[in-house]
């Protein structure tokens, strides 16, 4: 019971408080004007073009990086499983982006692409190509850079989880597949992927939720710009709450996004629960 109450206090209670705030009109610039608003703030969401843009940006910053992290992480795990020469130190090297704080990761990439002075310009000079472009001033390249940074940060974590799952599989299946003439790719396609499918689904859920932690990267790297091209929902909520001082609207954005994320993750969680139940039944 104490553990249950602690979990309620740190999870359910903040959600309920956020919902409660979203149902009122609360403007910190006019503290005496607080009143019950009902669903007015929620109706305002769908008339706010900046919010609708943040929905699109959020979808891009969640699904594209997560898909790339899973694909790249799975391929890296398959290669590392072979225990080729040098894979020992490579495992340690892959951990570095995962242990660097997100804000520092954003700063590293920002310094890397400084026009005329960063590492990208230096690489361009080495190969004889002019790469001294201001990538953060263009909407498409700024969003791409945020996605690349997110993939760089999250892929090592995914690769390690996939590697752990692959190493838990018995070698007998792979040896039988090789005897039957299966190639390396065929063995992983017909053995590895079906066996670690629950792990892939679990990792996908965690990475979708963890994608929201991209806020520090955006704060340091782009500040939501240019022209809102890299402004996801949580960053827009931050702007409303701490710059415009519209706490009620910020709470509305966050609670609406919470409901959307639960809707996205629920099918994954239900699938995982069903697989575990069927395995226990066996």
């Amino acid at each position: 019971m104490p553990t249950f109450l602690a979990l309620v206090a740190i999870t359910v209670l903040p959600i309920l408080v956020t919902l409660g705030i979203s149902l009122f009109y609360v403007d910190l610039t006019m503290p005496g004007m607080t009143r019950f608003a009902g669903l007015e703030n929620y109706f305002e969401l769908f008339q706010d073009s900046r919010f609708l843009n943040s929905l699109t940006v959020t979808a891009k910053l969640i699904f594209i990086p997560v898909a790339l992290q899973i694909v790249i992480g799975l391929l890296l795990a398959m290669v590392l499983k072979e225990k080729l020469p040098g894979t020992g130190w490579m495992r340690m090297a892959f951990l570095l982006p995962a242990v660097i704080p997100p804000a520092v990761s954003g700063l590293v990439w920002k310094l890397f692409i400084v026009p005329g002075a960063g590492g990208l310009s230096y690489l361009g000079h080495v190969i004889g190509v002019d790469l001294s472009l201001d990538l953060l001033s263009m909407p498409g390249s700024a969003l791409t850079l945020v996605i690349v940074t997110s993939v760089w940060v999250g892929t090592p974590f995914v690769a390690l989880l996939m590697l752990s799952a692959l190493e838990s599989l018995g070698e007998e299946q792979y040896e039988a597949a090789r005897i039957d003439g299966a190639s390396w790719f065929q063995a992983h396609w017909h053995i590895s992927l079906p066996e670690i499918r629950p792990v892939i689904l679990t990792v996908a859920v965690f990475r979708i939720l963890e994608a929201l932690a991209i806020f520090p990267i955006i704060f340091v790297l782009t500040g939501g710009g240019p022209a809102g091209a890299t402004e996801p929902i949580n960053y827009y909520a931050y702007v409303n709450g701490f710059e415009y001082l519209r706490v009620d609207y910020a709470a509305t954005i966050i609670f609406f996004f919470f409901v959307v994320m639960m809707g996205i993750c629920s099918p994954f969680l239900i699938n995982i629960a069903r697989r575990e139940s069927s395995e226990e039944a066996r």
Side-chain angles (χ1 to χ4, degrees), residues 230-244:
T230 60
E231 184 179 72
I233 287 180
N234 54 353
Y235 195 90
Y236 184 44
Y238 161 79
V239 171
N240 275 277
F242 292 94
E243 293 185 10
Y244 302 157

Side-chain angles (χ1 to χ4, degrees), residues 60-267:
K60 294 177 181 178
L61 292 180
I62 288 178
F63 295 109
I64 297 176
V66 170
L68 291 174
Q69 288 171 19
I70 290 177
V71 172
I72 298 173
L74 184 58
L75 292 174
L76 287 174
M78 289 177 178
V79 173
L80 292 174
K81 183 179 183 296
E82 302 301 321
K83 298 180 181 179
L84 300 173
T87 54
W89 66 265
M90 286 176 64
R91 296 190 187 195
M92 298 297 298
F94 286 148
L95 279 174
L96 291 178
V99 300
I100 297 176
V104 177
S105 299
L107 183 60
V108 167
W109 279 91
K110 191 169 187 176
L111 293 175
F112 178 73
I113 63 167
V114 172
L120 184 62
S121 298
Y122 175 75
L123 291 177
H125 176 73
V126 170
I127 62 178
V129 179
D130 184 13
L131 296 178
S132 56
L133 301 174
D134 188 2
L135 299 178
L136 297 180
S137 66
M138 298 175 285
S141 59
L143 182 62
T144 301
L145 184 61
V146 173
I147 290 174
V148 169
T149 306
S150 178
V151 172
W152 182 72
V153 170
T155 299
F157 175 77
V158 174
L160 288 176
L161 290 180
M162 297 292 186
L163 179 60
S164 176
L166 289 174
E167 289 183 336
S168 67
L169 303 179
E171 290 295 328
E172 298 80 7
Q173 302 178 73
Y174 296 99
E175 292 176 0
R178 283 192 289 268
I179 293 172
D180 290 338
S183 65
W184 179 86
F185 177 80
Q186 289 173 328
H188 281 294
W189 181 263
H190 293 287
I191 298 175
S192 300
L193 290 182
E195 290 289 339
I196 68 170
R197 184 169 175 264
V199 176
I200 295 175
L201 291 176
T202 304
V203 170
V205 172
F206 277 109
R207 293 316 303 167
I208 288 173
L209 296 175
E210 189 64 22
L212 301 179
I214 201 172
F215 175 90
I217 294 176
I218 293 176
F219 187 85
V220 173
L221 194 58
T222 65
T230 60
E231 184 179 72
I233 287 180
N234 54 353
Y235 195 90
Y236 184 44
Y238 161 79
V239 171
N240 275 277
F242 292 94
E243 293 185 10
Y244 302 157
L245 301 180
R246 285 204 58 189
V247 179
D248 57 336
Y249 197 54
T252 304
I253 294 171
I254 291 299
F255 186 79
F256 176 82
F257 189 50
F258 165 77
V259 174
V260 171
M261 291 301 296
M262 289 300 99
I264 293 173
C265 294
S266 292

